[in-house]
Amino acid sequence: MDKKNAPRAGALAAGTTLMMLLMTSPALALTPDDGDDPGTGLSVIETLGLFVIAPLALFAVIAGLVMVLDKSHKQKDTTSTNITTKAGSKA
């Protein structure tokens, strides 16, 4: 990166972060809106299952399907396997 581009990138990142922080107002989350009907909270087990175990299981299923259905292992490089060389040959 150029010496001029690094401060510009830093200023842009800082400005973007500052604007995002100013635009979000977590204090408004404490006052319910009209029509809000919050349900009961999740237990620790439900939270872990929903946000940890379920994504890991979904990742494992997708990775397993990719590995099982992958056809590229059947394509072999036939040019290097059928070459025979002699020990005393001259170049």
Side-chain angles (χ1 to χ4, degrees):
M1 242 188 182
D2 192 355
K3 288 186 179 182
K4 292 181 181 179
N5 286 341
R8 287 180 188 166
L12 180 66
T16 304
T17 305
L18 182 64
M19 288 304 294
M20 286 176 57
L21 287 173
L22 290 175
M23 294 301 287
T24 59
S25 55
L28 292 177
L30 297 176
T31 58
D33 292 331
D34 292 338
D36 279 352
D37 189 19
T40 59
L42 297 175
S43 70
V44 175
I45 300 297
E46 290 172 335
T47 303
L48 287 175
L50 186 62
F51 294 107
V52 176
I53 295 171
L56 287 175
L58 186 62
F59 176 79
V61 167
I62 292 172
L65 286 173
V66 168
M67 283 191 277
V68 167
L69 299 176
D70 184 26
K71 305 268 189 225
S72 66
H73 65 278
K74 293 181 181 178
Q75 299 173 355
K76 293 184 179 178
D77 188 13
T78 57
T79 59
S80 63
T81 57
N82 60 4
I83 296 175
T84 57
T85 58
K86 295 181 181 176
S89 63
K90 294 182 182 179

